Amino acid sequence: MVDRPAEAPDSPRARATHWAAEPERGNATMLAMMIFVAVRMGRPLARGVLYLIAVYFFMFAGGARRSTREYLRRALGREPAGRDRFRQVFAFSSTILDRFYLVQGRYELFEISTEGEDLMRDLLARGKGAFLLGAHLGSFEITSALGRRHPGLRVAMAMYEPEANRVTAAFRAVSPTEAPEIIPLGHIAAMLRVRDCLDEGRFVGILADRSIGDAPAQAVNFLGHQALFPLGPMRAAAALRRPVIFMTGLYRGGNRYHVVFRQLADFSQPTPAGREAAVRAAIERYVALLEEFCRSHPYNWFNFYDFWHGAPPAAGAGSGARTKAASGADA
């Protein structure tokens, strides 16, 4: 665990770890217009409007633009061109637009391939529930498409309240009956609700790539530099003795998504090295998988802030120091 000294409110680390306090770019009027275009006029026309929104974000989000360049430099292994940075912004905008259709169950609009679906099927048959650890990489909502093939696969999302509130109201306005359950973290009742969901055989999804405030975090080498990753989600899985699955829904351009499931840990089994050691090993595996997909699908990374700021310096180049050209498979 990283010891965190008190931070001044305007210090670099405070700005980086308090991403939850940042206001959402755009406004309610723009969001309402996007919902109208998406629902009333169809996806092809909505994607045309999307270019204008992406251009606006790209032109006027100066801080995000600088952070995007830093990330892409590490993921691509070269200096990113302007078109690289715009592709990342447009991929982000595309996944936001597609949420409107996914929450309505409009799965016929998408071509979805999967990897590791057998793992999910086996866990579903056991009926014990499990944690799905994702990241701000691609689309978490695309996993709802698997419920069409596996009706018993139900996912509740646990997230920090400021982030949850930004989109929940909009999606419920589109389809009140289809909006997923959101468990707001930061309250004592949250862990009880998480436990109840697991006991019901449900999956609990958490985006586990952002540390916040002075919460316990682990420094891990990510894309060649140390970054902080929260310990809380993995410790919760260990305390509740549940399996943990890495999940990502990679956007590959157009209407194509690729959903990946890989096992990170199974805390329902004994851990000879001790629970805390098992937690730390699982976080390292999580970060290694995150790095793998950031390199293969670099434009799917949607953390538009200084992700590495505040972490201690890297002790040396590890696996994360590798450079690899992007496959070009995604948007």
Side-chain angles (χ1 to χ4, degrees), residues 132-174:
L132 294 178
L133 257 60
H136 293 80
L137 180 80
S139 171
F140 201 105
E141 289 79 12
I142 198 69
T143 56
S144 61
L146 296 183
R148 182 176 46 172
R149 293 196 291 267
H150 309 289
L153 201 163
R154 297 171 297 157
V155 180
M157 288 296 301
M159 59 181 65
Y160 289 104
E161 199 162 16
E163 189 175 28
N165 291 340
R166 289 170 182 169
V167 295
T168 300
F171 293 150
R172 286 180 176 165
V174 175

Side-chain angles (χ1 to χ4, degrees), residues 81-301:
R83 66 178 182 179
D84 292 311
R85 290 179 281 127
F86 183 78
R87 284 180 71 179
Q88 185 185 7
V89 171
F90 188 75
F92 171 65
S93 303
S94 297
T95 62
I96 295 296
L97 172 68
D98 289 343
R99 287 181 185 179
F100 294 120
Y101 301 106
L102 291 168
V103 82
Q104 291 184 307
R106 299 288 306 280
Y107 306 123
E108 76 281 0
L109 296 174
F110 305 100
E111 295 181 12
I112 304 170
S113 57
T114 61
E115 174 187 333
E117 192 172 350
D118 288 345
L119 174 62
M120 298 296 290
R121 187 181 297 111
D122 292 343
L123 287 171
L124 190 60
R126 288 166 58 181
K128 298 294 185 180
F131 282 86
L132 294 178
L133 257 60
H136 293 80
L137 180 80
S139 171
F140 201 105
E141 289 79 12
I142 198 69
T143 56
S144 61
L146 296 183
R148 182 176 46 172
R149 293 196 291 267
H150 309 289
L153 201 163
R154 297 171 297 157
V155 180
M157 288 296 301
M159 59 181 65
Y160 289 104
E161 199 162 16
E163 189 175 28
N165 291 340
R166 289 170 182 169
V167 295
T168 300
F171 293 150
R172 286 180 176 165
V174 175
S175 183
T177 60
E178 298 294 333
E181 178 180 358
I182 304 295
I183 302 173
L185 298 175
H187 305 279
I188 296 176
M191 183 60 72
L192 298 177
R193 183 56 192 152
V194 167
R195 183 199 61 191
D196 290 344
C197 287
L198 295 168
D199 288 343
E200 293 166 6
R202 300 171 67 180
F203 292 83
V204 175
I206 304 177
L207 303 183
D209 56 333
R210 291 180 178 179
S211 61
I212 185 168
D214 58 355
Q218 181 172 333
V220 184
N221 196 28
F222 173 57
L223 293 175
H225 298 263
Q226 295 280 285
L228 295 175
F229 290 85
L231 281 160
M234 204 70 74
R235 281 179 171 171
L240 294 171
R241 300 184 180 276
R242 304 289 177 165
V244 184
I245 308 301
F246 177 90
M247 193 291 303
T248 185
L250 299 166
Y251 178 63
R252 288 184 162 178
N255 68 339
R256 295 176 296 123
Y257 285 88
H258 182 62
V259 180
V260 179
F261 300 101
R262 294 192 189 174
Q263 184 153 328
L264 288 170
D266 188 353
F267 293 110
S268 64
Q269 304 299 319
T271 53
R275 191 169 73 179
E276 188 65 16
V279 164
R280 294 180 179 278
I283 290 176
E284 289 179 0
R285 176 160 168 74
Y286 168 84
V287 175
L289 288 173
L290 187 60
E291 178 176 294
E292 174 186 335
F293 292 115
C294 282
R295 292 195 185 279
S296 65
H297 294 74
Y299 308 110
N300 273 249
W301 176 255

